[in-house]
Amino acid sequence: MAQIRIARRVLTECIAAMAFPILLLSILVAPVSAPVVAETDRSRARWCGVETMPLKPSDHSWAQWVVLRLRSRSMWRTDLPVFVTAVLLSALSLLVAFFGFIGAAALVFSPVFWLFGIAAQVGPFTPESVGETLLVMPAGIVLGAITTTVLTGTSFLRDFLLRAFSRSRDPDLLAKLEELRTSRASLTAAFEFERQRIERDLHDGAQQELVAVVMRLGMLEATATATAADQERIVRLARQAQAHAERALERLRDTVRDIHPRELSDLGLIAAVRELAARSPLRVELTSTGDDAQLSSPTATAVYFTVSEALTNISKHAGVGSARIDLRCATTDVHVRVHDDGVGGARIDTGSGLAGLRERMRSIGGNIEILSPPGGGTLVVASAPSQPPW
């Protein structure tokens, strides 16, 4: 494994030496070429076994990514120094590889050249006999080993400088890492909150109704075996058991619908939101435009549950009986606005339903904003691309 990595380092230095003319010309467009060269050097380091973080997203083209890097201050602190280092060390690798390997080859094959009447000169040394050509063959092997060692050391120097420049406190990268940590923590809290909600709905809803069904059936059995004359009590208990069973079934349907509504899978986002508005205890004014056929399942699901959570919050906390929904679907994205004229003051708290939905929207490249001044009502605005960036 160590030999393979050394071979990779020597190979990459030879490639860098051959690419030196291109790197030299790229100085003319250094601000544009610097991110490309720096990202290529990060790929080289990973291929040589060094852990480096690629900065170019997989869904971005090189042109898009270069434009974004040019707008970032970190390009001048990270990519440009790596670019300058790559040019200088490539020049060094070119000199070492050219004179080292060619000199080593000339010394090692000096007897062969002598047979063809060629005295292979290496520096100040020129063989004058066959014996001298044989004597310098070990020197050629040593020179090749020295050249390999120097190129390997140059590769390690590249890695050292790459890590040194990458350790500079890149505010863009640090902000993304912090956002990732926060998003992961919020998602974990939101998933735990959702599991507790489902457990609570099952325990307080369907489970209680099923317990009542079991009790009524037990009483019905006891009455039926005790006497055959009390038909009226048997009928009443049977009707009560049936009513509890129907309520349990309805609560189970509500719980399953809250996990993932069938209308969303079968009919699409607009029809599912329309059904959601019809089931809501609020008077909902729904306006929908566009076609939801282009929406991916993750996007449609995230938008649906955003609307659902917003309506739930309105019915619980806004103190009003009506709401308005504006849903716009396009081929490239989807936008939804849920508005009420209630008491306002809503916030996205950690662990709340809206916090979990915000992280869910961010995971598909979207976002949620809440405008809720005290006494001024609440406006929930969500948008997302039709297809997630991943």
Side-chain angles (χ1 to χ4, degrees), residues 68-279:
L68 292 176
R69 289 298 289 174
L70 289 175
R71 297 174 181 174
S72 173
R73 292 177 299 172
S74 62
M75 192 277 291
W76 304 98
R77 283 196 301 268
T78 303
D79 292 350
L80 194 60
V82 172
F83 171 72
V84 173
T85 300
V87 174
L88 296 177
L89 292 182
S90 294
L92 175 62
S93 296
L94 177 61
L95 294 174
V96 172
F98 182 80
F99 291 105
F101 284 138
I102 290 181
L107 292 175
V108 170
F109 295 102
S110 182
V112 178
F113 295 144
W114 184 268
L115 292 177
F116 287 93
I118 302 173
Q121 181 180 359
V122 178
F125 172 75
T126 302
E128 297 180 354
S129 65
V130 178
E132 289 185 359
T133 60
L134 294 174
L135 290 175
V136 297
M137 289 181 62
I141 297 174
V142 172
L143 180 59
I146 293 174
T147 302
T148 300
T149 302
V150 173
L151 290 178
T152 304
T154 304
S155 178
F156 279 112
L157 180 59
R158 285 181 189 270
D159 296 340
F160 173 78
L161 294 176
L162 177 64
R163 287 194 296 264
F165 293 131
S166 299
R167 285 196 194 104
S168 60
R169 300 190 67 80
D170 184 341
D172 297 335
L173 184 58
L174 291 176
K176 290 181 181 179
L177 290 175
E178 183 61 29
E179 181 180 350
L180 179 61
R181 295 190 189 99
T182 304
S183 176
R184 184 171 61 181
S186 299
L187 279 175
T188 301
F191 289 154
E192 182 62 26
F193 176 82
E194 187 66 13
R195 284 193 293 267
Q196 292 177 358
R197 184 193 66 78
I198 294 174
E199 186 276 334
R200 185 173 58 253
D201 289 347
L202 290 175
H203 180 273
D204 298 339
Q207 180 174 315
Q208 295 297 330
E209 297 294 343
L210 290 174
V211 169
V213 169
V214 172
M215 294 178 61
R216 291 297 186 278
L217 290 176
M219 296 171 62
L220 180 62
E221 180 184 8
T223 303
T225 56
T227 173
D230 199 354
Q231 297 296 325
E232 182 179 352
R233 178 174 172 79
I234 294 176
V235 171
R236 185 173 68 254
L237 291 175
R239 289 175 178 174
Q240 290 176 352
Q242 182 181 7
H244 283 292
E246 291 175 351
R247 284 197 295 269
L249 181 60
E250 184 64 27
R251 294 202 176 201
L252 279 175
R253 287 173 177 169
D254 291 339
T255 301
V256 172
R257 186 184 293 114
D258 288 340
I259 296 174
H260 190 85
R262 179 173 294 274
E263 296 87 0
L264 186 61
S265 302
D266 297 343
L267 304 177
L269 176 62
I270 295 177
V273 171
R274 187 177 294 116
E275 177 67 20
L276 181 65
R279 293 199 318 269

Side-chain angles (χ1 to χ4, degrees), residues 257 261 264 269 272-273 276 279 299-308:
R257 186 184 293 114
L264 186 61
L269 176 62
V273 171
L276 181 65
R279 293 199 318 269
T299 298
T301 302
V303 173
Y304 174 87
F305 282 108
T306 298
V307 176
S308 176

